[in-house]
């Protein structure tokens, strides 16, 4: 079945540093979504991307929909302690619409 | 505006039992999806309901079933529970059905199911 390869699996960074994570797939997606999940909570939508090449920002977060439609990346600038959590990419394939999730990137920020 | 709510928060069941999980969608949302999230994994799509009918299903056996009610709330039922069913079950609502060009899903906090 379709799979999303998300990397890195985990990151340990210093407060103030920039962060970059990405997702790749062998399948073409027509929507990419980025979510953040904190312990005991459901995933929270951060950014939604709908067009190949689209670059979208949400505060310190920036995400891009790859031109090949098989990848996406998420950047976080000037990280702060509350950025801690697990970040998931999710893709939607064709007309089916159900989301396929990556395994997540666990972000730890040291004050 | 009320977000997605789920009940119960936690549940412990014995193998072979049946369980019902509940979800209330965000105000104005008519589509509900259910996901299973095993420890250390991303959520996996179970199925989606739109206008009280199943509108897409993932790779889950028939003992996973659901309902959507006229007020757009939903239930997930799992029969003959197995140990591997232990997971966080997430409900997500969206204002549009699966095939819409604009597609955003908003998740509830989940129900943690433990099967012993």
């Amino acid at each position: 079945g379709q799979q999303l390869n998300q990397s890195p699996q985990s990151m340990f960074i210093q407060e103030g540093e920039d962060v970059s994570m990405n997702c790749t797939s062998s399948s073409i997606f027509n929507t990419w979504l980025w979510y953040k999940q904190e312990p005991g909570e459901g995933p929270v939508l951060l950014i939604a991307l709908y067009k190949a090449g689209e670059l979208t920002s949400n505060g310190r977060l920036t995400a891009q929909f790859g031109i090949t439609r098989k990848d996406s990346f998420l950047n976080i600038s000037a990280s702060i302690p509350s950025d801690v959590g697990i970040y998931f990419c999710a893709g939607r394939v064709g007309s089916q619409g159900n989301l396929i999730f990556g395994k997540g990137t666990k972000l730890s920020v040291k004050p | 505006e009320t977000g997605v709510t789920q009940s119960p928060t936690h549940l412990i069941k014995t193998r072979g039992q049946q369980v019902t999980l509940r979800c209330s969608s965000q105000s104005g949302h008519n589509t509900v999806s259910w996901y299973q999230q095993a420890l250390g994994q991303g959520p996996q799509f179970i199925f989606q309901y739109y206008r009280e009918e199943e509108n897409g299903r993932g790779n889950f056996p028939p003992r996973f079933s659901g309902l959507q009610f006229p007020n757009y709330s939903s239930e997930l039922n799992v029969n003959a529970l197995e140990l591997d069913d232990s997971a966080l079950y997430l409900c997500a609502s969206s204002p549009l059905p699966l095939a819409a060009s604009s597609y955003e899903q908003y998740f509830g906090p989940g129900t943690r199911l433990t099967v012993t």
Side-chain angles (χ1 to χ4, degrees):
Chain A
Q2 293 131 348
Q3 288 187 330
L4 288 182
N5 300 308
Q6 188 171 349
S7 63
Q9 186 175 359
S10 61
M11 302 181 74
F12 296 86
I13 63 170
Q14 196 78 28
E15 182 177 0
E17 289 183 354
D18 296 342
V19 172
S20 184
M21 59 191 78
N22 68 82
C23 271
T24 61
S25 173
S26 57
S27 302
I28 290 175
F29 288 87
N30 56 21
T31 303
W32 283 96
L33 304 171
W34 284 92
Y35 287 87
K36 177 188 177 186
Q37 187 174 28
E38 297 184 37
E41 302 290 331
V44 174
L45 181 64
L46 300 173
I47 293 179
L49 303 160
Y50 299 105
K51 296 180 182 177
E54 180 181 354
L55 184 71
T56 297
S57 294
N58 177 9
R60 294 179 295 106
L61 278 60
T62 301
Q64 185 159 29
F65 192 143
I67 292 176
T68 64
R69 297 168 62 195
K70 294 182 179 181
D71 63 324
S72 177
F73 72 75
L74 174 70
N75 288 339
I76 305 173
S77 62
S79 59
I80 58 178
S82 62
D83 289 334
V84 165
I86 302 177
Y87 291 79
F88 289 98
C89 62
R92 182 170 76 102
V93 178
S95 62
Q96 295 176 351
N98 56 289
L99 294 180
I100 297 169
F101 281 79
K103 292 189 175 181
T105 294
K106 185 175 182 179
L107 179 63
S108 301
V109 179
K110 186 177 179 181
Chain B
E1 185 178 277
T2 307
V4 179
T5 59
Q6 294 186 241
S7 63
T9 306
H10 297 88
L11 202 53
I12 299 175
K13 289 285 189 178
T14 303
R15 189 171 52 184
Q17 285 188 316
Q18 178 265 343
V19 70
T20 297
L21 310 181
R22 294 179 175 82
C23 169
S24 291
S25 61
Q26 185 166 321
S27 177
H29 288 187
N30 57 17
T31 302
V32 174
S33 303
W34 285 91
Y35 290 80
Q36 180 195 67
Q37 186 177 22
L39 204 60
Q41 302 293 318
Q44 279 200 302
F45 177 72
I46 302 175
F47 44 55
Q48 183 182 85
Y49 278 82
Y50 172 61
R51 291 185 176 177
E52 303 176 51
E53 291 192 0
E54 189 178 289
N55 187 35
R57 189 180 182 92
N59 190 25
F60 280 81
R63 59 190 185 83
F64 285 79
S65 63
L67 283 172
Q68 186 181 31
F69 301 99
N71 65 354
Y72 306 132
S73 65
S74 177
E75 286 183 355
L76 165 65
N77 299 292
V78 187
N79 294 322
L81 283 167
E82 301 177 359
L83 296 179
D84 285 349
D85 294 335
S86 295
L88 181 68
Y89 287 85
L90 294 162
C91 168
S93 73
S94 57
L96 297 166
L98 273 169
S101 58
S102 293
Y103 188 80
E104 297 176 6
Q105 288 191 328
Y106 298 88
F107 284 83
T111 293
R112 173 72 62 186
L113 173 65
T114 301
V115 182
T116 61

